[in-house]
Amino acid sequence: MQRVILPGGTIGVLGSGQLGRMFAIKARRMGYRVHTYSPDTDTPTGQIADREWIGDYDDLAKVRAFASKVDVITFEFENVPSATTDAAAECAPVRPHGSVLHVTQNRLREKRFLEQHGFPLPDFRPIHQHADLLRGVTELGFPCVLKTAGWGYDGKGQSRINTPDDVEDAWIALDGAEGVLEAFVDFAHEASVVAARGVDGSFAHFGLFENNHQNHILDLTLDPGSFDVALQAEAVEIARGILETLDVVGVLCVEFFITRDGKLLVNELAPRVHNSGHVTFDNCITSQFEQQLRAVCGLPLGATDRLRPGVMANLLGDLWAEGEPNWAAACAVPNVKLHLYGKMEARPGRKMGHLTALADTIDEARTAALAARNALTTR
Ligand code: AMP
């Protein structure tokens, strides 16, 4: 029998960014205590948590000290080394378990896992040597995308190869790292399923979100997306299969490309709450953050019903280019919620916050979200 961690218990979060912050807000609302662990101080999660532990992920003695003070450990940042989750697991359950992180923190391992279990994904080739890249581009054709296998997110560590002339630059940019060459997908849409699995194997999901990216970074999420019922059901079944095969306890996001002929291809897995699920903080009975909490504590998963159509618009550091954004103007747009992550320094491309707009229709919600975001740069 697994022990249920009830309100009053303490959750340890590895990582200290905005995902942990929103998790901590929901956890504290339900009467839990939260400790966060990362190398940084005055962090988005630490500002909300009961206790902010500051330590390197490879300081295993400190990781064990942190883990011994909490009832369960989860994470909001997937590039935590396996040695860290192994050390933490000596003191408290780690959910999802470290092997889920291990598979998903390396694109090559993730793609091999997906391929081995028959989940649909773009054609890819592992790249270790220059000759692999030359062979890969011949086999996959142009355009294709070279990505680092580890440490990549939001388009970092990616080079698009459009013509033979781009191959050498892409190889130089890889800088000796392990790589993955992917066929370029001329997608019609990007989409994601955020799903959760409980300790008892129960499963819940929020349907298929529609995602728009700008410069490889998520810009807007629409819930509901514009997809037909059969495609949504297919995406959810793929997500269910992935969570079951990985034996996930917690939330995992499956990012998809939808091709022009309506096929689903898995782009990436994120074994945690996800930027595309932020809309659920405001528009669903149970948000992705509360669902993560319920899952890792061994509580029943919550109802995921959508209360209203919602659109999430990210706020990147670029909005600060001309000074502090005009918060009052954005707040004047009806049915818009402002989320800021407490980050001190606004850099271009850095996720500083987001807006959620709720409305009777998704088009109205999108209009309101964009109006509020545009208002931020009015003087
Ligand atoms: P990733 O970090 O792999 O999720 O990539 C970030 C974004 O780059 C994706 O959301 C897509 O917009 C774009 N992208 C990545 N890989 C591909 C691909 N193979 N084909 C087309 N677009 C891609």
Side-chain angles (χ1 to χ4, degrees):
M1 261 284 278
Q2 303 270 5
R3 187 170 74 89
V4 177
I5 297 148
L6 295 169
T10 305
I11 321 294
V13 179
L14 289 168
S16 61
Q18 62 268 19
L19 304 177
R21 179 185 183 89
M22 288 178 270
F23 174 86
I25 289 170
K26 296 291 188 181
R28 293 197 64 160
R29 187 183 69 172
M30 281 177 65
Y32 287 90
R33 294 187 169 273
V34 178
H35 289 197
T36 173
Y37 185 103
S38 83
D40 305 315
T41 47
D42 190 24
T43 58
T45 310
Q47 292 164 9
I48 307 290
D50 295 83
R51 182 157 175 197
E52 183 175 56
W53 292 69
I54 300 146
D56 288 331
Y57 292 115
D58 48 17
D59 182 348
L60 300 185
K62 198 158 204 177
V63 168
R64 286 190 192 93
F66 155 79
S68 66
K69 294 278 190 262
V70 302
D71 296 303
V72 63
I73 293 162
T74 188
F75 36 81
E76 65 96 67
F77 167 70
E78 69 247 46
N79 286 321
V80 174
S82 289
T84 308
T85 49
D86 289 350
E90 292 167 20
C91 310
V94 175
R95 293 178 179 154
H97 50 78
S99 61
V100 178
L101 270 191
H102 183 69
V103 171
T104 56
Q105 68 192 190
N106 177 285
R107 289 185 195 274
L108 203 47
R109 279 199 290 272
E110 182 174 289
K111 286 180 188 300
R112 284 185 170 135
F113 159 81
L114 292 167
E115 185 177 54
Q116 190 189 343
H117 292 92
F119 297 111
L121 76 163
D123 214 353
F124 72 96
R125 296 289 182 278
I127 304 296
H128 295 106
Q129 296 168 14
H130 191 249
D132 299 334
L133 182 59
L134 296 182
R135 195 178 328 110
V137 294
T138 313
E139 289 172 3
L140 299 184
F142 298 100
C144 51
V145 186
L146 182 62
K147 303 182 179 179
T148 51
W151 306 103
Y153 67 98
D154 288 346
K156 292 191 174 61
Q158 286 191 24
S159 310
R160 180 158 162 182
I161 303 177
N162 291 318
T163 69
D165 290 343
D166 298 331
V167 173
E168 286 319 303
D169 284 348
W171 174 251
I172 290 164
L174 191 61
D175 195 23
E178 183 183 42
V180 181
L181 186 69
E182 273 179 41
F184 182 79
V185 182
D186 180 25
F187 54 78
H189 297 286
E190 291 189 82
S192 56
V193 172
V194 173
R197 198 161 162 271
V199 171
D200 60 354
S202 52
F203 177 78
H205 64 86
F206 295 93
L208 186 59
F209 298 138
E210 182 169 344
N211 300 324
N212 296 337
H213 290 76
Q214 293 283 341
N215 301 322
H216 302 278
I217 303 176
L218 184 65
D219 183 48
L220 296 180
T221 295
L222 284 65
D223 174 35
S226 58
F227 309 117
D228 69 43
V229 174
L231 190 79
Q232 292 183 45
E234 197 184 326
V236 167
E237 283 318 302
I238 291 170
R240 185 198 303 271
I242 290 171
L243 271 85
E244 283 178 0
T245 311
L246 283 171
D247 192 21
V248 170
V249 173
V251 168
L252 181 140
C253 175
V254 184
E255 289 182 54
F256 291 100
F257 296 129
I258 301 175
T259 62
R260 295 192 184 276
D261 54 354
K263 285 205 197 65
L264 288 160
L265 296 173
V266 176
N267 170 31
E268 252 196 326
L269 308 180
R272 49 166 171 76
V273 291
H274 188 258
N275 195 168
S276 62
H278 290 1
V279 64
T280 65
F281 191 105
D282 298 308
N283 86 328
C284 290
I285 292 180
T286 307
S287 67
Q288 63 166 351
F289 306 100
E290 182 181 331
Q291 203 70 295
Q292 170 86 355
L293 175 75
R294 286 170 173 252
V296 303
C297 289
L299 287 172
L301 298 181
T304 53
D305 304 48
R306 182 189 309 118
L307 300 169
R308 289 189 94 188
V311 169
M312 186 286 312
N314 266 336
L315 304 180
L316 302 184
D318 313 62
L319 285 166
W320 275 248
E322 306 293 326
E324 192 69 14
N326 189 344
W327 303 121
C331 290
V333 180
N335 304 322
V336 171
K337 312 284 278 184
L338 172 65
H339 295 249
L340 288 173
Y341 306 149
K343 296 182 183 178
M344 297 305 151
E345 195 194 339
R347 292 190 296 270
R350 189 175 197 206
K351 291 175 181 170
M352 301 297 290
H354 68 269
L355 297 166
T356 316
L358 307 182
D360 291 338
T361 67
I362 199 72
D363 287 341
E364 287 170 58
R366 189 204 334 238
T367 303
L370 294 179
R373 191 165 62 180
N374 289 337
L376 289 173
T377 45
T378 57
R379 295 291 144 203

